[in-house]
Amino acid sequence: MLKTLRSAWKVEDIRKKILFTLFIILLYRIGNAVPVPYVDTALLSTYFSQLQNTVLGLYNVMSGGAFSQATIFALSIQPYINASIIIQLLCIAIPALERMSKDEGEEGKKKIASITRNSTVVIGLLQGFAYYMLIRNNHLLAESGVWQGIVIVLTFTAGSALIMWLGEQITEFGIGNGISIILFASIIARFPRGIATMVSNAASGALKWWVLVLMLVGALAIIVLIVIVSDAERRIPVQYSKRVVGRKLYGGQSTHLPMKVNMSGVLPIIFAQSIASLPATIAALCGKTDSGWFLKLFDTSSLFYALIYFLLIIFFSYFYATIQFNPIEIANNLKKNGGFIPGIRPGRPTSEFIHRVLNKITLFGAIYLSIIAIVPILIGCFSNAEALSGISLGGTSVIIVVGVALETVRALENQMIMRNYKGFLE
């Protein structure tokens, strides 16, 4: 990874993109430090210190600490993620949207992106109002009134729209994966404080040294597993028959059809996290943050939340695998170009074979994602030590950070390949 970054830095065009991306991240972090008016941030920080393992603590991690400070970027990328989920599900359910996304090409994708942007603003408005109700119901406002409420809600909404725009700028003019990069920066910003807290707990005796060592070894093992599975793929052999076109002979070569084990990356984790926390988010943002069976049921350290989280990761893994990999289309393309899988007849038998292989590797990839995300939650469920507070969010954070880092490195490598740069292959 470091070698790739060094090689990319030597290319002037890519270096400019990296610097532009870092500049956008700097703007994002500055926005995370600017609080909205009329909110007592001291009381709000004290209030959130008691909610580390709740859904509000999850929102705080995803926003890089901005949520607990009620800054202009407090909602982070959650409105955009929720809007993307809704629009992509509607593209399957509504034929008009499905035709727009598939048949109209680039123009259709622009229309879908425009609908997603508008939906982001609407969802940001709803979540901003809900967050304002949470602050007001818990008496965390420095000044209260109708005008103050309007300013706070509109500031939150504008912040979520600005984050969406910043992500699009990284995608278009930076190194790509804009929304993922912003999420990466948010989580990374919390790591130094988390490590310092663990070291402090170990020094004071609140956390046993061997537990700290075990946690670090486990984190390294998870990182290694993520890297291995990210590069793993199932290669289906493909043979092209010889054919004569004019006076030339084409075909006859052997190749393979690569199918990545985890082709959907970190998206199932991100989307499952948003959906699993939605019920508790609605309850919490309406001021229901005290003891109650509903909020405890959807607490990020509860067994029920872990079960829902697990099932949603499985669902979104299959959902994205289906969107990205169409067995019927691939089988038809192979047949048109004279390709076939040895031992499998062209046409429908080929698509059925590819579909069976896709289901198997998607199940493996989904279980792999689920284990990494669920194990820290289970550790948090069966541990009563306050020193381990927040561990239920650790697996999710690690897999998102490592996954985005690997995707970014691949994007840089692809850009260098397009520019015929050979240095990183030496």
Side-chain angles (χ1 to χ4, degrees):
M1 180 181 295
L2 294 177
K3 184 177 180 181
T4 301
L5 292 175
R6 286 197 301 268
S7 301
W9 186 260
K10 297 177 183 178
V11 183
E12 183 179 358
D13 187 27
I14 299 180
R15 182 168 65 246
K16 290 180 180 179
K17 291 186 175 184
I18 294 175
L19 291 174
F20 179 81
T21 301
L22 293 176
F23 175 70
I24 295 295
I25 292 175
L26 177 62
L27 293 179
Y28 170 68
R29 292 304 301 165
I30 292 175
N32 271 4
V34 180
V36 300
Y38 310 121
V39 178
D40 192 330
T41 55
L43 289 177
L44 187 64
S45 298
T46 303
Y47 173 76
F48 268 91
S49 64
Q50 306 169 1
L51 304 172
Q52 292 186 21
N53 277 335
T54 66
V55 65
L56 297 181
L58 171 62
Y59 265 56
N60 195 38
V61 171
M62 294 297 107
S63 66
F67 195 76
S68 63
Q69 298 293 327
T71 68
I72 60 175
F73 289 161
L75 299 183
S76 190
I77 62 169
Q78 291 297 330
Y80 179 82
I81 290 175
N82 293 333
S84 299
I85 295 173
I86 293 171
I87 298 304
Q88 290 185 19
L89 291 176
L90 290 178
C91 285
I92 297 177
I94 301 177
L97 289 177
E98 184 177 9
R99 288 193 299 270
M100 186 185 299
S101 62
K102 292 183 178 180
D103 300 337
E104 296 185 14
E106 194 65 30
E107 197 64 31
K109 292 180 180 179
K110 290 181 180 179
K111 293 179 181 178
I112 294 295
S114 178
I115 295 173
T116 304
R117 292 190 196 100
N118 296 332
S119 303
T120 300
V121 174
V122 173
I123 294 175
L125 190 63
L126 294 174
Q127 291 189 348
F129 176 74
Y131 191 19
Y132 165 72
M133 294 300 296
L134 166 68
I135 297 172
R136 194 191 70 171
N137 292 340
N138 288 277
H139 310 290
L140 302 174
L141 290 172
E143 297 181 34
S144 60
V146 177
W147 170 251
Q148 286 80 358
I150 292 174
V151 171
I152 291 173
V153 172
L154 291 181
T155 302
F156 284 143
T157 305
S160 64
L162 182 56
I163 289 176
M164 176 182 63
W165 182 80
L166 291 176
E168 291 177 349
Q169 299 309 299
I170 293 177
T171 301
E172 185 173 357
F173 303 107
I175 59 178
N177 300 324
I179 297 298
S180 297
I181 292 293
I182 287 179
L183 180 59
F184 175 87
S186 298
I187 297 175
I188 284 293
R190 301 275 300 177
F191 275 14
R193 184 182 302 177
I195 294 174
T197 301
M198 285 194 301
V199 172
S200 176
N201 289 333
S204 63
L207 181 65
K208 300 295 184 181
W209 66 269
W210 59 269
V211 176
L212 178 60
V213 172
L214 189 62
M215 290 172 62
L216 294 176
V217 171
L220 291 175
I222 288 176
I223 292 173
V224 172
L225 177 62
I226 294 171
V227 173
I228 292 174
V229 176
S230 290
D231 294 332
E233 61 183 18
R234 167 74 156 84
R235 297 182 177 182
I236 300 177
V238 175
Q239 180 72 38
Y240 284 91
S241 57
K242 296 181 179 180
R243 54 178 179 169
V244 178
V245 180
R247 296 182 177 181
K248 294 184 178 181
L249 182 66
Y250 294 91
Q253 72 269 24
S254 298
T255 182
H256 63 270
L257 179 66
M259 300 176 66
K260 296 191 72 65
V261 173
N262 184 29
M263 63 179 62
S264 51
V266 299
L267 289 176
I269 289 279
I270 298 173
F271 284 8
Q273 198 175 60
S274 299
I275 297 298
S277 62
L278 188 59
T281 301
I282 296 173
L285 293 179
C286 291
K288 307 295 183 180
T289 55
D290 299 329
S291 60
W293 67 270
F294 185 79
L295 194 58
K296 289 181 178 179
L297 192 65
F298 284 94
D299 190 288
T300 56
S301 60
S302 68
L303 289 175
F304 182 78
Y305 175 87
L307 176 62
I308 296 297
Y309 195 18
F310 177 85
L311 295 177
L312 285 173
I313 291 174
I314 300 291
F315 168 76
F316 279 112
S317 295
Y318 275 97
F319 175 73
Y320 272 94
T322 303
I323 291 178
Q324 296 178 3
F325 211 91
N326 189 341
I328 297 177
E329 183 178 349
I330 292 174
N332 291 335
N333 290 336
L334 287 175
K335 187 176 181 180
K336 290 178 182 178
N337 293 288
F340 63 93
I341 300 174
I344 307 295
R345 294 179 60 187
R348 183 174 179 179
T350 298
S351 67
E352 292 176 348
F353 174 79
I354 295 175
H355 190 266
R356 287 196 301 270
V357 175
L358 178 64
N359 285 339
K360 291 178 182 178
I361 65 172
T362 302
L363 178 61
F364 178 83
I367 292 176
Y368 139 77
L369 287 175
S370 302
I371 290 176
I372 293 178
I374 296 301
V375 167
I377 296 179
L378 297 179
I379 294 175
C381 289
F382 297 107
S383 175
N384 297 322
E386 295 183 0
L388 296 180
S389 62
I391 193 175
S392 59
L393 308 177
T396 302
S397 300
V398 170
I399 196 169
I400 290 175
V401 167
V402 177
V404 172
L406 292 174
E407 290 177 3
T408 303
V409 170
R410 291 194 193 99
L412 291 174
E413 290 177 347
N414 291 334
Q415 291 183 36
M416 287 189 289
I417 290 175
M418 287 192 300
R419 288 165 176 77
N420 296 320
Y421 184 75
K422 306 296 183 182
F424 76 104
L425 294 174
E426 297 176 357

